[in-house]
Amino acid sequence: MSAGNANAVWLQKVGRILFRKADAALGRLYPLHKTLAAMELRPFELHLELTNLCNADCVFCPYQFQERKTEVMSDAIFKKAVADYVAAGGGSVGLTPVVGDALIDPSFVSRVKYLRSFPQIDRIWLTTNAILLDRHGVDEVLDLGLTAITISTAGFDEAMYARVYRNRSYHRMRQNVLKLLERNAARRNPIPVAIALRPDRALKEVMQDPDFQSILAYRPQLDFAWSYATANGRIRRESLPPLMKIRTVSQVKKESCVQLYNGPIVLSNGTVLACSCVASMDAEQDLGIGNILESNLLDLWRSDRLRQLRESFRDGRMNPTCSGCDMYRDLELYQTSEGRERARINLARNRGLVTIRKTSPRGPFAGG
């Protein structure tokens, strides 16, 4: 594999960023407050943490410092969250935990089928390390109606995988990914599958690894991390390999983080958080807006608590988690055509219309 392929991956990532920024610049002609008002009406996305247990121990992930009890979401929590969301008009569902891997949930297949039984549920997407794909069955997972799958991996070199993901299931993972791509390519309507690389070596070298070539032959979407979150100081520079760069905390947070407009996450214990990024791993006090078994999801989304969280970025009363977060993203998304489309859809769903997006998600981690 030539170095040019690594350059192409770089250029694609840069191109996505530049396109979004150009789109947002044009979007300044539209009133942002109207778009945000539409997003405040109801959650556009629902994130479900089916489990906060993981079968990897990645050097870059705060999972290794998690203080919450590890558990699998109960049926009572799952079905109450889904019922509330559907009653509010439904939409897209993300099955990527704050930390953990959704495929650890023994009921993963039946729960995705349950979600797909509701016409109000739109896109369903998943990020996974793929170690347990074979336990559920690759064909079975592809038949579930998932809209996109992202595979998080160090790459396709056994020694690097052991260093970064600190797991001995490399061969199982690689075989699962290869089978997933093979079976997906044979489908009439293949779903987008992305490989999200988290290597401790130069991308040029990683792209040349022999074990990677059969994967690349299927031309999956490719993404890579060029910096890593500290998750509020949990991950330290000295604990990472030299090539893994640490993000810097944005000192300018004058507008709400975009996460507070996308949609909440229901944790495995039923707590509803306003944000699903890794910095919120143990932030139930800072970012919790209620419990799904005690309150209605729509009421929590429209609550004073969430309104105060959004306003805290403007009035300087940010909680410690948001203040120290290096995953902060401003509201650029809602100045783009994608953001305005989300607002249009949210208004329609708020009126009780079943609205399904016809287009596929664009790029890795595209979400709802």
Side-chain angles (χ1 to χ4, degrees):
M1 187 62 63
S2 68
N5 293 94
N7 292 336
V9 176
W10 271 90
L11 289 174
Q12 287 170 7
K13 188 177 183 79
V14 171
R16 290 194 297 269
I17 294 171
L18 292 178
F19 176 84
R20 185 185 69 239
K21 290 189 174 299
D23 194 6
L26 291 173
R28 294 183 185 279
L29 298 172
Y30 299 85
L32 178 61
H33 71 276
K34 289 186 177 181
T35 301
L36 296 181
M39 303 311 295
E40 291 173 357
L41 288 173
R42 55 175 306 284
F44 181 78
E45 301 172 349
L46 175 64
H47 300 259
L48 296 173
E49 185 186 69
L50 300 183
T51 181
N52 62 331
L53 177 63
C54 197
N55 47 2
D57 188 25
C58 305
V59 295
F60 57 83
C61 181
Y63 174 75
Q64 58 197 299
F65 305 113
Q66 182 178 217
E67 296 176 0
R68 282 191 290 138
K69 174 187 175 183
T70 54
E71 57 191 327
V72 174
M73 180 180 285
S74 69
D75 281 340
I77 292 171
F78 174 75
K79 290 190 174 181
K80 173 61 161 55
V82 174
D84 283 3
Y85 190 48
V86 168
S92 298
V93 177
L95 298 177
T96 304
V98 176
V99 291
D101 196 284
L103 295 184
I104 291 175
D105 178 4
S107 302
F108 175 79
V109 168
S110 62
R111 285 179 167 178
V112 179
K113 287 181 178 179
Y114 184 77
L115 286 166
R116 267 287 162 249
S117 70
F118 295 97
Q120 297 90 342
I121 297 298
D122 190 0
R123 296 174 174 175
I124 307 174
W125 71 97
L126 168 73
T127 299
T128 175
N129 58 33
I131 293 171
L132 292 179
L133 263 177
D134 58 324
R135 185 177 81 172
H136 299 284
V138 169
D139 290 319
E140 287 78 3
V141 170
L142 285 171
D143 287 339
L144 288 175
L146 293 170
T147 315
I149 299 175
T150 297
I151 307 297
S152 173
T153 183
F156 295 91
D157 173 80
E158 185 173 8
M160 179 173 64
Y161 186 80
R163 290 194 305 270
V164 178
Y165 275 57
R166 296 190 289 201
N167 182 282
R168 297 182 179 180
S169 300
Y170 169 75
H171 293 287
R172 182 181 185 182
M173 177 277 299
R174 181 179 177 275
Q175 186 60 35
N176 283 341
V177 174
L178 194 57
K179 187 174 182 180
L180 177 74
L181 293 170
E182 175 190 0
R183 297 297 177 85
N184 190 46
R187 296 169 68 86
R188 174 179 290 183
N189 296 304
I191 67 175
V193 175
I195 308 294
L197 298 167
R198 306 291 180 258
D200 65 356
R201 296 158 49 225
L203 184 62
K204 175 182 176 181
E205 297 178 10
V206 171
M207 295 288 290
Q208 295 172 340
D209 284 334
D211 279 4
F212 203 176
Q213 304 317 301
S214 54
I215 302 289
L216 291 172
Y218 288 99
R219 303 179 67 83
Q221 298 178 10
L222 295 176
D223 189 44
F224 66 96
W226 49 26
S227 64
Y228 295 83
T230 68
N232 286 79
R234 295 179 181 91
I235 306 298
R236 300 184 179 276
R237 167 65 271 170
E238 57 269 22
S239 67
L240 294 180
L243 287 183
M244 287 186 171
K245 298 180 180 179
I246 287 288
R247 292 180 187 173
T248 56
V249 178
S250 173
Q251 299 300 317
V252 181
K253 298 179 180 178
K254 293 184 178 180
E255 61 182 19
S256 174
C257 180
V258 70
Q259 291 277 16
L260 301 181
Y261 284 93
N262 293 339
I265 184 166
V266 181
L267 300 183
S268 52
N269 64 6
T271 299
V272 182
L273 293 188
C275 169
S276 60
C277 81
V278 295
S280 65
M281 180 178 69
D282 290 319
E284 292 174 278
Q285 182 174 353
D286 286 352
L287 289 163
I289 57 175
N291 189 287
I292 197 66
L293 294 179
E294 300 170 358
S295 303
N296 180 273
L297 182 68
L298 185 59
D299 291 340
L300 294 177
W301 186 252
R302 295 175 174 177
S303 66
D304 287 341
R305 168 66 175 155
L306 186 46
R307 179 181 55 79
Q308 291 164 3
L309 282 171
R310 293 176 182 137
E311 292 178 353
S312 69
F313 287 80
R314 294 191 293 271
D315 60 23
R317 294 185 292 110
M318 271 186 288
N319 60 75
T321 300
C322 292
S323 180
C325 181
D326 50 10
M327 294 192 72
Y328 167 79
R329 294 292 182 269
D330 61 22
L331 296 172
E332 181 181 72
L333 169 63
Y334 290 107
Q335 291 175 321
T336 66
S337 54
E338 163 68 16
R340 294 190 297 278
E341 175 67 2
R342 290 186 177 204
R344 184 194 67 79
I345 291 171
N346 229 35
L347 287 170
R349 288 173 178 159
N350 191 59
R351 295 196 301 270
L353 300 177
V354 176
T355 307
I356 301 299
R357 303 193 74 171
K358 302 301 182 184
T359 57
S360 297
R362 181 186 297 168
F365 306 109

